[in-house]
Amino acid sequence: MWAAVLRKGNIEVTQVPDPVPGPGQVLVKSLSCGICGSDLHTFQGATGAAVMARRTGSPFDFDPERDLIFGHEVCTEILEYGPETQGSLKPGTRVTSVPVGFAGGRMHAIGFSNDLPGGFAERMLLTESLLIEVPEGLSNEQVVCAEPMSVGWHAVKEAGLSTDEVPLVMGCGPVGLAVIAGLKILGMHPIVAADFSPLRRRLAASFGADVVVDPKDVSPFKQWDEVAVPNGRALPAMGYEAFYSAYASRRPCVVFECVGAPGVIQQILEGVPPNTRVIVVGVCLTVDSIQPVFAVNKMMTLKFVLGYTPDEFRESLQHIASGKINVRPMITGRVGLSGVLQAFQDLQNPMQHAKIVVEPKRQNWYERTLSRFAGVGAAESR
Ligand SMILES: [Zn+2]
């Protein structure tokens, strides 16, 4: 099969052996697969990412010297069942899944595994017990968005919000948008969101943000203050009285950090009012530094979150199916396998893109010609 393979730090479109389903596994055709920020980070530093995975004990453990096929935000179609399966869904049924699988006696994160190919390939293996049939009427791209939406849904659920709190979402990439969508579903109001990119600010508004800020022009914290303290009361930013009752009439602040770049948490610690809770959703892979005294003086709470449960994944797919979340405006590009490398580069520019999906059957002239010379059935013919 054709695949976009991460090989020695580069992405090559090449032919690799078809995966063969083992016990409990299902061979599926990858119809559409989203490119995620974690793919970009791993591409930029596969060795560092692998070392971090091992040190933190996460299933994103792989050997950077071996081939890896990215792609964990998937919409697929059942081709064939392996041994020890029930086969309850017919071949041809569209399915998705939480991106984990089992091979060699351990759990793998699909798309970050040398043994289980991700969705940037024509075919992949999913676990039968984890399959979710795609609800009627959803496009492949909408299904792909269930995975990133789950990340935000998990974050807002983990936050344990009270409706009195006024959320501030820092960063409106796919994760920030998912958080905004989740906040909206939970009835939080108003929602303040900040991003430097006009495209992402537009998307934030369409996902449900009530107040959208360009941090270049206005401090997101000042903007939050205007919304949360509508009467313009002059209150001390810090100080003994700020710890306790002086802020009783101000609605509490909860910040969702969805940038994942060094320095952002410190900016938040400095900018927010006392007693703020910070939910860190962005994944910063480098060393970051904070001055704890800001958080100490403001008696703040920091909570870090990651991923989602299988139930949250199903719920997110339902949110899209029922129209509670309109993910369509988030898809800003579509590429075939040969466009993956360029898409990785294009996604570096947040002014132009939010989510690009890979459609493995979308071939360019080069691949079609190669397929013919290789005498293999081109994906376009399927
Ligand atoms: Zn993802």
Side-chain angles (χ1 to χ4, degrees):
M1 66 172 179
W2 285 100
V5 179
L6 176 69
R7 184 173 284 170
K8 306 232 182 289
N10 200 7
I11 290 188
E12 291 177 23
V13 178
T14 184
Q15 298 232 15
V16 296
D18 273 18
V20 178
Q25 289 181 328
V26 187
L27 180 70
V28 297
K29 174 157 78 172
S30 173
L31 300 173
S32 184
C33 184
I35 302 177
C36 179
S38 51
D39 301 329
L40 304 182
H41 288 144
T42 307
F43 175 60
Q44 284 156 1
T47 305
V51 168
M52 256 327 142
R54 224 153 291 158
R55 281 183 65 193
T56 56
S58 95
F60 293 68
D61 187 1
F62 61 92
D63 178 356
E65 295 302 312
R66 289 175 57 204
D67 285 359
L68 181 147
I69 300 170
F70 285 125
H72 60 272
E73 307 176 353
V74 298
C75 180
T76 70
E77 183 185 304
I78 295 177
L79 292 173
E80 177 188 316
Y81 285 90
E84 296 168 41
T85 49
Q86 310 289 318
S88 44
L89 295 168
K90 283 204 302 269
T93 306
R94 283 192 307 153
V95 289
T96 184
S97 168
V98 291
V100 294
F102 302 88
R106 73 166 180 97
M107 193 176 98
H108 293 251
I110 291 177
F112 299 98
S113 159
N114 306 111
D115 300 318
L116 291 178
F120 301 172
E122 290 182 287
R123 290 170 185 170
M124 57 191 297
L125 299 173
L126 295 176
T127 301
E128 185 184 33
S129 58
L130 297 174
L131 292 185
I132 302 170
E133 187 173 1
V134 170
E136 198 80 20
L138 282 188
S139 69
N140 297 340
E141 293 173 1
Q142 286 174 300
V143 175
V144 160
C145 293
E147 200 277 346
M149 288 302 114
S150 311
V151 174
W153 183 231
H154 174 75
V156 298
K157 287 184 90 177
E158 281 289 304
L161 298 161
S162 89
T163 48
D164 194 34
E165 287 177 299
V166 177
L168 167 60
V169 181
M170 300 282 284
C172 302
V175 167
L177 295 175
V179 166
I180 293 168
L183 292 168
K184 194 83 186 167
I185 288 169
L186 291 181
M188 300 297 290
H189 183 83
I191 301 165
V192 185
D195 198 292
F196 287 100
S197 154
L199 165 72
R200 293 183 175 198
R201 288 198 302 276
R202 274 200 305 279
L203 289 170
S206 86
F207 271 68
D210 300 288
V211 180
V212 182
V213 190
D214 181 353
K216 185 167 55 62
D217 299 336
V218 185
S219 154
F221 309 108
K222 276 214 177 79
Q223 186 67 59
W224 178 90
D225 212 71
E226 272 176 33
V227 174
V229 192
N231 303 326
R233 281 172 291 111
L235 292 171
M238 280 174 58
Y240 186 80
E241 66 274 43
F243 287 171
Y244 302 107
S245 56
Y247 277 76
S249 56
R250 169 193 249 136
R251 290 176 66 181
C253 181
V254 55
V255 179
F256 289 86
E257 195 287 284
C258 303
V259 180
V264 177
I265 297 177
Q266 178 63 24
Q267 278 175 35
I268 294 170
L269 300 189
E270 292 187 31
V272 295
N275 298 312
T276 292
R277 300 195 303 129
V278 183
I279 314 296
V280 181
V281 200
V283 181
C284 177
L285 288 172
T286 63
V287 172
D288 193 5
S289 62
I290 61 164
Q291 287 177 285
V293 68
F294 283 90
V296 172
N297 280 354
K298 298 182 186 182
M299 297 208 301
M300 293 172 57
T301 306
L302 258 80
K303 182 178 171 70
F304 295 79
V305 297
L306 177 78
Y308 42 81
T309 66
D311 280 347
E312 287 162 349
F313 185 92
R314 280 175 190 277
E315 286 160 9
S316 294
L317 186 63
Q318 272 312 319
H319 291 154
I320 297 170
S322 66
K324 280 187 180 162
I325 307 178
N326 177 13
V327 290
R328 283 200 191 88
M330 192 172 87
I331 311 284
T332 50
R334 293 157 189 88
V335 295
L337 293 176
S338 60
V340 170
L341 185 58
Q342 184 63 46
F344 272 40
Q345 278 149 16
D346 292 347
L347 280 164
Q348 304 294 337
N349 181 358
M351 302 296 170
Q352 267 179 10
H353 284 292
K355 176 71 66 189
I356 298 178
V357 295
V358 179
E359 296 170 352
K361 75 169 191 316
R362 185 188 279 256
Q363 285 192 313
N364 68 5
W365 173 87
Y366 171 73
E367 286 164 65
R368 283 198 299 271
T369 310
L370 265 185
S371 311
R372 261 177 230 134
F373 278 119
V376 295
E380 60 171 343
S381 64
R382 270 194 292 277

